[in-house]
């Protein structure tokens, strides 16, 4: 299956032509991001918490301390919604009404389950680390058994999902194109800055190659 | 009241010293961001949707089309959670375990109510517009009565809230400081790029001043 079935849950209601249901589109957004917002319910109240993640095959993995309220709740197998939003630009139309945002968002639904096998846990932790910054995992001191024990990893198999994408020029009402108002797109760019050494960094430890040009540009 | 009461709902469980409950801290995060993730529940399932917003006094305002599923649901007065996350850097510790993120997040709880008065609606829409890009509202064609009618504005009075902040160097285990591993922070910066004119922009309309230096730098 390369496409998620459209249901009441994942259907893009507002501006349906911006909705996408194929895995290629949805997973490319998940793979470009590294921070998601996880939604879940406790006592009838919704919570939205930012957290790092990685997609591996048809699952999203998140991790954290075993005392985390979010992870304890997801470990109960409740429904969760994982959303990743990449902002590309502010869309400046001539009318206030047609202002918009260029963005790519992926919304994923599923029920969490705790990863118990140590090997699978390590592999998920490495995937999250690599999704944030490639090459760092192999360059860091690996987790001890105790560190693994106090870390919870939750797998959320993607049960349903959709993406929503807006790109390109503003769309104004026909009559408004004559107005003497500047219109266009203000791009939004997220970039890494220059790495800042730890104040306790030992002398003689140079910046690794993967940090010199972290976006590969 | 300048501080939110700590309850089961808003208390920062994991790393309590990173939790903040004063309005000044929470509102400064809300005012720096412009994109939030709104969480709400439909049929027992959580949804997390990205949307623009503005804070005015003790409320968060969001808007959209009257047919939006999210806005229709919030109009029913259900509990919602609005989360804003500002990422400042990737924290690279010597151990994989102590890797972290420098960030400032605000999590806000409240029940939505629809803004019905046209004047209040306009004022909220202007606040959202100004929170995304200052000076743009007055430079765009103002909403017609029909445009206002098909736009829903939801006010979420902030009932409870907290912020969570991490900043500064990685914190490694004492023994790990001797390891020959580079450690520090990789800053994450979000910036506007150079404005791209609409392909249908009329000749002779120059770039407004507020778009030449949108961050005021």
């Amino acid at each position: 299956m390369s496409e998620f079935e459209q249901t009441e849950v994942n259907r893009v209601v507002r501006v349906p032509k911006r909705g996408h249901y194929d895995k290629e589109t949805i997973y490319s957004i998940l793979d470009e991001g590294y921070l998601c917002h996880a939604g879940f319910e406790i006592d009838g109240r919704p919570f939205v918490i930012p957290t790092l993640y990685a997609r591996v095959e048809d699952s999203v993995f998140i991790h954290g301390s075993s005392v985390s309220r979010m992870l304890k709740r997801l470990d109960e197998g409740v429904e969760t919604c994982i959303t990743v939003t990449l902002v590309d630009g502010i869309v400046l139309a001539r009318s206030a009404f047609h202002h918009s945002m260029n963005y790519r968002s992926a919304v994923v639904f599923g029920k969490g389950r705790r990863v118990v096998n140590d090997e699978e846990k390590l592999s998920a932790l490495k995937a999250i680390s690599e999704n944030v910054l490639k090459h760092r995992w192999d360059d860091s001191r690996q987790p001890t058994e105790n560190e693994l024990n106090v870390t919870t990893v939750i797998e959320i198999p993607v049960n349903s999902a959709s993406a929503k994408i807006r790109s390109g020029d503003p769309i104004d009402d026909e009559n408004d194109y004559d107005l003497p108002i500047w219109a266009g797109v203000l791009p939004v760019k997220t970039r890494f800055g220059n790495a800042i050494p730890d104040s306790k960094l030992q002398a003689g430890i140079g910046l690794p190659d993967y940090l010199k040009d972290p976006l590969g540009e």
Side-chain angles (χ1 to χ4, degrees), chain A:
Chain A
M1 182 193 63
S2 65
E3 180 130 349
F4 292 99
E5 187 192 354
Q6 288 188 47
T7 67
E8 282 300 302
V9 170
N10 69 334
R11 186 171 290 127
V12 172
V13 178
R14 178 66 193 140
V15 200
K17 68 178 177 191
R18 294 185 189 157
H20 299 262
Y21 303 91
D22 61 294
K23 287 189 180 178
E24 196 183 338
T25 302
I26 296 164
Y27 290 176
S28 74
I29 294 168
L30 294 179
D31 294 351
E32 187 170 328
Y34 61 89
L35 183 83
C36 68
H37 282 80
F40 54 95
E41 165 282 326
I42 296 180
D43 293 337
R45 188 187 290 277
F47 288 81
V48 177
I49 304 293
T51 190
L52 304 173
Y53 72 93
R55 178 195 69 89
V56 180
E57 293 171 5
D58 290 320
S59 289
V60 171
F61 290 86
I62 62 176
H63 80 304
S65 159
S66 312
V67 308
S68 151
R69 175 167 60 176
M70 171 173 71
L71 298 179
K72 283 200 275 194
R73 184 63 174 148
L74 295 193
D75 188 26
E76 294 170 21
V78 297
E79 290 283 352
T80 181
C81 176
I82 301 279
T83 298
V84 174
T85 307
L86 309 171
V87 177
D88 294 321
I90 310 295
V91 180
L92 304 167
R94 291 148 186 91
S95 61
F97 182 73
H98 282 297
H99 275 65
S100 186
M101 203 170 74
N102 281 340
Y103 68 102
R104 292 162 289 148
S105 66
V107 178
V108 158
F109 301 92
K111 290 179 183 178
R113 62 185 181 210
R114 187 206 291 248
V115 177
V116 287
N117 177 287
D118 271 1
E119 214 168 300
E120 289 175 26
K121 243 170 128 168
L122 270 174
S123 144
L125 292 171
K126 178 172 179 173
I128 295 168
S129 176
E130 292 291 290
N131 194 42
V132 176
L133 182 65
K134 255 194 214 340
H135 307 299
R136 180 64 186 177
W137 181 264
D138 289 335
D139 192 28
S140 35
R141 199 262 292 151
Q142 298 299 295
T144 62
E145 200 176 324
N146 184 50
E147 287 172 346
L148 266 190
N149 286 341
V150 298
T151 303
T152 295
V153 174
I154 298 283
E155 173 180 8
I156 299 132
V158 181
N159 179 38
S160 176
S162 59
K164 195 168 176 185
I165 298 177
R166 193 213 184 277
S167 62
D169 282 341
I171 306 293
D172 266 303
D173 291 346
E174 212 44 64
N175 291 338
D176 287 337
Y177 280 94
D178 292 335
L179 294 172
I181 297 172
W182 192 92
V185 172
L186 188 60
V188 174
K189 295 170 190 286
T190 303
R191 294 284 181 266
F192 289 126
N194 291 325
I196 301 165
D198 182 6
S199 56
K200 294 187 181 173
L201 187 67
Q202 284 189 54
I205 301 182
L207 195 66
D209 281 345
Y210 62 84
L211 285 173
K212 286 178 183 158
D213 185 18
L215 284 177
E217 284 177 346

